[in-house]
Amino acid sequence: MKKFLIGIFVTAMPILGKAQDSQDKSSRDNLLNVQIDKKWLLLPVKNGEERKKMVLRDGDKQLRSFDIELTDQDPDWYAYLDVSAWRGKTLSLDVHTGTDMSRALSLIKQSDKEIDKKTLYREKNRARFHFSPKRGWNNDPNGLVYYNGEYHLFFQHNPYGTEWGNMHWGHAVSKDLVHWREIGEALYPDSYGTMFSGSAVVDKNNTSGMGDGSDPPMVLFYTAEGSWVQGLAYSTDGRKFKKAETPVVPKITDGNRDPKVIWHEPSQKWVMVLYVELEGKQHSMYFLTSSNLKDWETTDVVKGGTDSDTYLFECPEFYELQVEGKPGVKKWILTGANSEYAIGTFDGEKFTPESERLNGQHGRDFYAAQTFNNEPKGRRIEMGWWRTKTTGHGNNFNQSMSIPMEIKLLETEEGLKIARQPVEELKKLRKKHHVFENRQLRDGESFLLKKIKDDFLEIHTRFSSITSEQIIFSIKGVDVIYNVKDETLSIDGVDMHLPLTNNQLELTLYVDRTGIELFANKGVYFMPVNINVDSNNKDIGIKVKGGSLRTESEVYQLRSIWR
């Protein structure tokens, strides 16, 4: 092991100082001492480098520990380590590696400003109306909740790399579900483990006693990976979070995780749904109840699939919906990470499925969706992790979220089904509007709607009087193909059975740089497909094979959500 001592005398200079070799490099770590006088330490990252463990300490006290692709070359990007809580102190950074990292340590900067602000959200492969983190990796949405006039989106976050690892809870807020402002990490790894997924509630009646007498507390529930206990953190301002000293739910089995907590009004109790893997790799959802958010009792176990059968596997979601058009008739929905779901009844302790294994989405790499608690209009709004293809050399971020969608419960010929529609708030992104009137197309004919410059679009199209064998709707080089005989819709090798309604097919598509989200049959069919759209291809057109049809469309060019 090697160790280097760096003397830091920072004023306005961005570089922290020069490395000085210790007398015995072979037996000591790489070390940097830093007098903190700015908000962030900027750590040089090169994607693909070997990960090194870095530890931030105040004397003997460990403050942060994480893996990072720290580089001694020209960095692809800088990771931002918030050290504002320790202004005025001298902290140490250890790099645990046998390699001499003195040059890498000399590249570390200290700053109150974001030095990459001019390029943030303008990256070539950054989605324009889907949330993605400023820097680093994201996966599952966590703790979706409305609190103090803002929608809060927490998310699994690696601030120090563009691949999975170092799980924190990132945090972003929005007034309108559309424009998001990232405000830093809400939860950091601790002695119990890294911060895995969970949920958030507003304790309006202060049942937990964590309120301050004015605003009710926001309470977060999360899994500590490794120890597999369920933790609690709370806030009275929606910005600073304090963790409970001890877990609120002990480990049940290895890998139990992802607590979803809701308030059940009839029983006047809190309900937690927790994923637990039972003996024989049996997936299950445990139901627990509490009167104070701190003391929990198991009341029910619902079993799902086993091993490779992913029904009710991790990331539970649980909510009640009224059946559309039937006031007073309500059902409960229980889902797992892949969006397969059950519909049933719930008495405050026990969930009784009435229909199971219903397919909630038909796309690719849409996962771990969650819905907002305490939504002010009483809507059930969902966002999911969308595994977009945003890796690349020099990239400073990776992955994104779906657009926000409102979920309703509809009666269909096949029974009750959930349906999704893009939230109304997305309409504020509309700018140029193009209308293409009713037109008949025959076998072999093509119709070019228009060369549209923007990469991000909202498209509504209707096909009627269909006698054709195949419809090909080409959108900037991506073919949306509908085979009429077997009623199958395909995008980039992803297939979905989609029945015609009265010999008509109506589609709504949201097109961003990183993929297409398609809605059909009143939103009962939802198909997100992650594919990088060719920005240089401006064509949108329709082609018919065999027979004929009538078509009409309207297209909106959309603004970016990033201001």
Side-chain angles (χ1 to χ4, degrees):
M1 303 293 286
K2 301 182 179 181
K3 190 164 192 170
F4 296 90
L5 299 176
I6 297 183
I8 306 301
F9 301 93
V10 180
T11 55
M13 297 296 291
I15 304 300
L16 293 178
K18 295 183 178 179
Q20 299 177 357
D21 290 353
S22 68
Q23 293 181 350
D24 186 6
K25 296 179 182 178
S26 62
S27 62
R28 309 176 81 178
D29 294 338
N30 295 286
L31 177 67
L32 173 70
N33 291 317
V34 188
Q35 184 176 344
I36 303 300
D37 63 0
K38 297 187 185 300
K39 181 175 182 178
W40 290 297
L41 291 180
L42 277 54
L43 312 176
V45 176
K46 196 164 202 59
N47 299 333
E49 288 265 356
E50 180 185 356
R51 294 187 185 186
K52 295 97 178 170
K53 183 178 181 181
M54 181 172 272
V55 179
L56 179 70
R57 290 189 176 91
D58 179 6
D60 293 332
K61 183 180 180 182
Q62 180 175 299
L63 304 175
R64 301 281 183 259
S65 176
F66 50 88
D67 296 326
I68 185 171
E69 295 160 306
L70 192 70
T71 186
D72 59 5
Q73 305 173 46
D74 290 337
D76 289 332
W77 58 285
Y78 280 91
Y80 284 57
L81 174 58
D82 189 345
V83 289
S84 57
W86 303 290
R87 283 182 189 265
K89 290 194 172 189
T90 297
L91 306 181
S92 65
L93 272 172
D94 285 296
V95 185
H96 291 220
T97 178
T99 305
D100 179 354
M101 298 303 296
S102 55
R103 172 165 166 74
L105 292 171
S106 73
L107 293 176
I108 295 175
K109 304 179 181 184
Q110 198 171 175
S111 179
D112 278 327
K113 295 181 179 180
E114 295 176 289
I115 63 172
D116 55 357
K117 198 165 186 178
K118 289 184 178 180
T119 58
L120 278 175
Y121 305 120
R122 294 175 175 85
E123 298 89 348
K124 181 179 179 181
N125 56 353
R126 173 87 70 172
R128 286 304 185 254
F129 57 86
H130 292 83
F131 175 84
S132 53
K134 281 183 180 180
R135 308 172 193 91
W137 161 279
N138 81 265
N139 51 286
D140 307 357
N142 300 151
L144 305 188
V145 70
Y146 185 83
Y147 179 75
N148 281 357
E150 295 176 313
Y151 291 93
H152 292 256
L153 165 62
F154 301 90
F155 53 94
Q156 291 284 278
H157 190 210
N158 179 5
Y160 313 112
T162 58
E163 299 296 334
W164 187 93
N166 300 313
M167 287 294 94
H168 296 55
W169 273 32
H171 188 191
V173 295
S174 174
K175 296 284 188 183
D176 61 3
L177 281 171
V178 176
H179 301 94
W180 294 96
R181 180 168 61 90
E182 197 170 335
I183 56 177
E185 308 307 308
L187 298 179
Y188 290 85
D190 57 28
S191 60
Y192 287 101
T194 54
M195 302 289 97
F196 271 24
S197 295
S199 57
V201 297
V202 179
D203 186 8
K204 294 180 180 179
N205 299 320
N206 198 24
T207 62
S208 62
M210 296 172 185
D212 61 7
S214 55
D215 292 323
M218 179 203 295
V219 186
L220 312 183
F221 293 87
Y222 60 90
T223 299
E225 182 270 337
S227 60
W228 302 115
V229 296
Q230 312 312 313
L232 174 155
Y234 67 96
S235 173
T236 55
D237 64 2
R239 294 296 186 271
K240 297 178 181 179
F241 295 87
K242 183 177 181 180
K243 291 179 180 176
E245 293 182 1
T246 57
V248 294
V249 178
K251 182 177 78 170
I252 301 172
T253 65
D254 285 341
N256 59 192
R257 56 189 178 272
D258 313 329
K260 173 65 181 187
V261 177
I262 63 168
W263 173 252
H264 185 251
E265 183 66 24
S267 65
Q268 292 288 292
K269 284 189 176 181
W270 298 99
V271 175
M272 176 188 292
V273 185
L274 183 69
Y275 169 73
V276 179
E277 184 179 295
L278 301 176
E279 186 177 352
K281 296 186 177 180
Q282 168 79 62
H283 306 317
S284 74
M285 299 299 186
Y286 269 45
F287 284 75
L288 303 90
T289 62
S290 173
S291 60
N292 60 9
L293 292 173
K294 294 176 285 188
D295 302 305
W296 293 89
E297 177 184 0
T298 302
T299 61
D300 191 22
V301 178
V302 176
K303 294 182 180 180
T306 58
D307 201 6
S308 60
D309 177 0
T310 54
Y311 175 57
L312 297 185
F313 172 65
E314 68 181 11
C315 300
E317 179 56 274
F318 190 57
Y319 52 86
E320 187 180 36
L321 286 176
Q322 176 186 296
V323 178
E324 290 296 301
K326 290 193 171 183
V329 179
K330 298 181 179 181
K331 296 293 179 181
W332 285 86
I333 314 297
L334 174 65
T335 77
N338 67 356
S339 297
E340 283 188 292
Y341 63 100
I343 300 175
T345 60
F346 182 63
D347 63 6
E349 294 185 349
K350 181 178 177 62
F351 173 70
T352 304
E354 297 174 339
S355 54
E356 297 186 86
R357 294 180 176 271
L358 302 173
N359 197 344
Q361 56 91 16
H362 305 264
R364 181 170 63 203
D365 287 337
F366 176 83
Y367 200 73
Q370 293 287 292
T371 68
F372 282 88
N373 280 333
N374 198 43
E375 206 283 324
K377 299 178 182 178
R379 299 175 297 177
R380 183 57 54 180
I381 305 297
E382 178 188 67
M383 293 178 72
W385 169 29
W386 203 15
R387 295 166 173 157
T388 45
K389 300 177 179 181
T390 44
T391 56
H393 294 294
N395 236 30
N396 61 338
F397 78 99
N398 192 6
Q399 306 296 293
S400 59
M401 299 295 178
S402 72
I403 59 172
M405 298 168 283
E406 182 175 2
I407 299 180
K408 294 184 178 181
L409 188 58
L410 305 183
E411 283 191 309
T412 73
E413 292 180 357
E414 298 175 339
L416 291 176
K417 296 285 184 69
I418 62 170
R420 296 176 174 87
Q421 290 290 349
V423 294
E424 286 289 313
E425 288 88 339
L426 288 168
K427 290 180 179 179
K428 67 177 60 179
L429 297 179
R430 292 174 174 174
K431 48 179 186 178
K432 291 184 180 179
H433 182 209
H434 310 274
V435 177
F436 305 94
E437 300 294 344
N438 196 321
R439 177 169 178 167
Q440 186 171 18
L441 295 179
R442 294 180 175 83
D443 180 25
E445 288 186 339
S446 298
F447 172 43
L448 181 65
L449 273 65
K450 192 170 184 177
K451 289 182 179 292
I452 296 179
K453 181 179 179 181
D454 286 346
D455 297 331
F456 21 110
L457 307 168
E458 174 190 344
I459 301 171
H460 302 269
T461 191
R462 183 166 69 93
F463 304 103
S464 58
S465 303
I466 301 170
T467 64
S468 56
E469 297 173 3
Q470 189 178 74
I471 306 166
I472 303 173
F473 191 16
S474 295
I475 303 169
K476 296 184 174 295
V478 179
D479 286 343
V480 179
I481 302 170
Y482 188 74
N483 291 304
V484 178
K485 184 177 180 180
D486 58 8
E487 297 185 315
T488 300
L489 188 142
S490 302
I491 304 175
D492 194 41
V494 181
D495 298 330
M496 171 177 69
H497 175 67
L498 177 59
L500 294 174
T501 302
N502 299 322
N503 200 30
Q504 294 185 13
L505 180 65
E506 293 190 27
L507 305 176
T508 295
L509 305 99
Y510 278 74
V511 183
D512 207 339
R513 290 181 175 177
T514 51
I516 295 174
E517 286 161 293
L518 181 147
F519 303 82
N521 292 14
K522 299 182 179 179
V524 172
Y525 293 85
F526 170 54
M527 186 179 186
V529 178
N530 52 348
I531 178 173
N532 292 344
V533 176
D534 183 1
S535 299
N536 296 317
N537 191 324
K538 311 302 179 187
D539 293 348
I540 300 177
I542 299 167
K543 184 177 181 179
V544 173
K545 291 185 178 180
S548 64
L549 55 75
R550 300 201 69 84
T551 180
E552 55 187 319
S553 302
E554 61 177 333
V555 179
Y556 294 93
Q557 294 173 241
L558 301 180
R559 299 178 179 88
S560 171
I561 65 172
W562 308 115
R563 290 168 174 162

